[in-house]
Amino acid sequence: MSRLVALLFATLVSLHAWAQYPSRPIKLIVPIPPGGAPDISARVVGQRLAELVGQPVVVENRPGSNGNIAMDLVAKSQPDGYTLGLLADSMITINPHLYKEMQTDPLKDLAPVASVVSNQWVLSVNPSVPAKSFKEFIDYARKASPPLAYASGGNGSIHQLAMEMLKQRAGIELVHVPYKGGSPATTATVAGEVAAMFSGTSSAPQIKSGRLRALAVTGRHRSDIFPDLPTISEFYPGYEVTIWLGLFAAAGTPEPVLASLHAEVNKLLAEAPTRSKLNAAGGLEPYISTPAEFAELIRRDYDKYGKVVKEVGVKVD
């Protein structure tokens, strides 16, 4: 009986401790240097989260190894909710299929906290390409000899996988030219080094200035930023590439902590000021979901991109 009483007491003490969460600053790890969309999102969300929970949220930039360094730090942290990571979908759903050896299994070693933001890709071409619409581009690419070249942010990047998926659906041939990141790829497309690319809505300035011609978007629905552009799924049903950022903790983090964080993140994402700040950071849209919906998204994208990586035979640099 005394052992049962001791166990019950320990449980109550533990529940009381987690009920006080957070009682000290929270570290929020970001996988890129300051300035990019994940960093801006982390600072917008972190500032408001700190106000809601009454503790500082300190953003720590830990770039390198295609995001694996940041992911490893989160996975190996104490599972207490005081170290979180704002991680990109590619790290969770693509990297495991690209690297033969990874220190972290994201599906086992990380605990999803909440989806945070999402964005669509935009299919854009250099203005020298005569195609004025998505259909014209497909027809033009199908007839091009030699094949048109397209830019990506690197081998195995979601830029590449999105285009490879389009090649498969449309039955066209394109030559892949990898660059070291999305920004250099955009610069190359604007300069005419390649004909086309997929990019995030952060390329809106180049599109609006006429330095790129946008033809279609990759989401399930049309983009608020480019409402006149069709979705690729209007031509090829089922085609969808939505990029997202999510909040993760180490596996084993207590459920009350995860539930508290999830509720606070969803609360701040629903606020108009947060939406405006994220939208200004490159057209990012708050992505509010339930824990079950977020888990299903991760599994679906993991399987989808794993299939593409295997079929294309993608290799990392």
Side-chain angles (χ1 to χ4, degrees), residues 5-305:
V5 171
L7 179 61
L8 179 60
F9 178 76
T11 301
L12 291 174
V13 170
S14 176
L15 289 175
H16 176 74
W18 295 125
Q20 304 305 310
Y21 173 87
S23 59
R24 63 178 190 270
I26 297 171
K27 181 190 299 182
L28 180 53
I29 295 176
V30 181
I32 67 164
D39 177 70
I40 295 172
S41 299
R43 295 178 190 281
V44 170
V45 170
Q47 179 181 2
R48 182 59 180 137
L49 181 62
E51 294 170 352
L52 290 174
V53 302
Q55 290 291 339
V57 175
V58 182
V59 175
E60 183 176 308
N61 300 86
R62 298 300 295 267
S65 189
N66 207 16
N68 287 341
I69 290 176
M71 184 164 61
D72 292 343
L73 287 171
V74 176
K76 293 176 180 177
S77 67
Q78 287 295 319
D80 54 14
Y82 288 97
T83 299
L84 306 173
L86 188 65
L87 307 179
D89 53 350
S90 59
M91 298 164 54
I92 308 298
T93 66
I94 297 177
N95 284 7
H97 305 293
L98 294 177
Y99 294 89
K100 290 183 179 180
E101 295 183 5
M102 287 183 57
Q103 297 183 37
T104 296
D105 181 338
L107 298 188
K108 294 180 180 179
D109 301 332
L110 294 173
V113 176
S115 55
V116 176
V117 295
S118 66
N119 201 348
Q120 300 193 47
W121 285 130
V122 183
L123 175 63
S124 300
V125 296
N126 182 275
S128 65
V129 175
K132 298 296 192 297
S133 68
F134 176 76
K135 184 178 184 303
E136 289 180 4
F137 172 74
I138 297 299
D139 292 339
Y140 181 71
R142 189 171 287 130
K143 298 172 184 175
S145 181
L148 300 178
Y150 77 90
S152 83
N155 286 327
S157 65
I158 200 165
H159 308 80
Q160 180 191 9
L161 299 189
M163 194 68 84
E164 293 298 329
M165 290 166 59
L166 177 59
K167 285 170 57 178
Q168 291 176 348
R169 292 297 303 272
I172 58 176
E173 184 57 45
L174 299 169
V175 177
H176 176 218
V177 182
Y179 291 84
K180 293 184 177 180
S183 180
T186 300
T187 299
T189 309
V190 169
E193 295 176 16
V194 294
M197 71 171 297
F198 275 116
S199 64
T201 50
S202 58
S203 61
Q206 291 89 341
I207 293 170
K208 292 179 179 179
S209 68
R211 289 178 291 169
L212 288 176
R213 180 185 303 130
L215 302 178
V217 294
T218 64
R220 187 175 300 179
H221 307 289
R222 293 198 176 197
S223 166
D224 290 340
I225 297 179
F226 302 110
D228 294 333
L229 293 182
T231 65
I232 294 178
S233 63
E234 292 174 36
F235 301 88
Y236 301 106
Y239 182 100
E240 179 190 355
V241 178
T242 301
I243 55 177
W244 50 264
L245 296 171
L247 201 63
F248 291 83
T253 300
E255 285 299 325
V257 173
L258 296 177
S260 175
L261 284 169
H262 183 271
E264 298 294 358
V265 170
N266 276 6
K267 182 188 300 182
L268 68 88
L269 290 177
E271 297 173 346
T274 301
R275 176 179 292 273
S276 296
K277 291 177 182 178
L278 291 171
N279 193 259
L284 299 171
E285 291 290 332
Y287 192 171
I288 299 174
S289 67
T290 66
E293 289 169 342
F294 189 31
E296 173 58 26
L297 170 68
I298 293 169
R299 171 54 68 179
R300 185 173 68 245
D301 280 1
Y302 184 92
D303 293 341
K304 176 173 69 177
Y305 294 127

